[in-house]
């Protein structure tokens, strides 16, 4: 098994839940603290610091969706390899 497939399995089994909780907590905190954001512009302004808020939010989305693409990509590789063999072993 390659390092990439092993990392993908570990990501799917362990870290996807941690990343999901982190993302929900971060984006939820921006949405409700100190009061609920009324507009998308207000939401974006709350994420701003020395870098504009829309860049911060887009970078966060790219980060999480990149890991998700990696996890699903390695899952697809595992399924393709085992389907070719006629193997119906459950893969992580």
């Amino acid at each position: 098994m390659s390092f990439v497939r092993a990392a993908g399995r570990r990501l799917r089994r362990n870290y996807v839940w941690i990343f999901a909780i982190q993302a929900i907590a971060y984006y939820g905190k921006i949405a409700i603290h100190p009061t609920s954001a009324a507009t998308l512009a207000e939401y974006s302004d709350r994420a701003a610091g020395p870098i504009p808020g829309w860049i911060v939010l887009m970078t966060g989305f790219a980060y999480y969706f990149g890991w998700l693409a990696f996890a699903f990509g390695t899952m697809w590789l595992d399924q393709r390899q085992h389907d070719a063999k006629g193997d119906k072993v459950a893969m992580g």
Side-chain angles (χ1 to χ4, degrees), residues 58-75:
M58 290 300 119
T59 303
F61 280 122
Y63 176 78
Y64 288 118
F65 284 116
W67 280 116
L68 233 108
F70 180 75
F72 282 119
T74 55
M75 183 174 69

Side-chain angles (χ1 to χ4, degrees), residues 4-5 8 12 67-79:
V4 171
R5 285 192 184 173
R12 286 191 308 271
W67 280 116
L68 233 108
F70 180 75
F72 282 119
T74 55
M75 183 174 69
W76 177 76
L77 287 173
D78 281 342
Q79 288 175 345

Side-chain angles (χ1 to χ4, degrees), residues 6-65:
R9 285 185 189 182
R10 186 174 188 130
L11 175 65
R12 286 191 308 271
R13 289 183 180 174
N14 301 321
Y15 294 104
V16 73
W17 305 112
I18 296 169
F19 284 155
I21 291 168
Q22 269 185 327
I24 291 167
Y26 177 71
Y27 291 111
K29 185 226 178 261
I30 290 173
I32 65 169
H33 183 74
T35 60
S36 295
T39 64
L40 189 57
E42 184 181 354
Y43 187 83
S44 177
D45 289 342
R46 289 182 183 182
I51 300 172
W54 67 271
I55 293 175
V56 173
L57 294 173
M58 290 300 119
T59 303
F61 280 122
Y63 176 78
Y64 288 118
F65 284 116

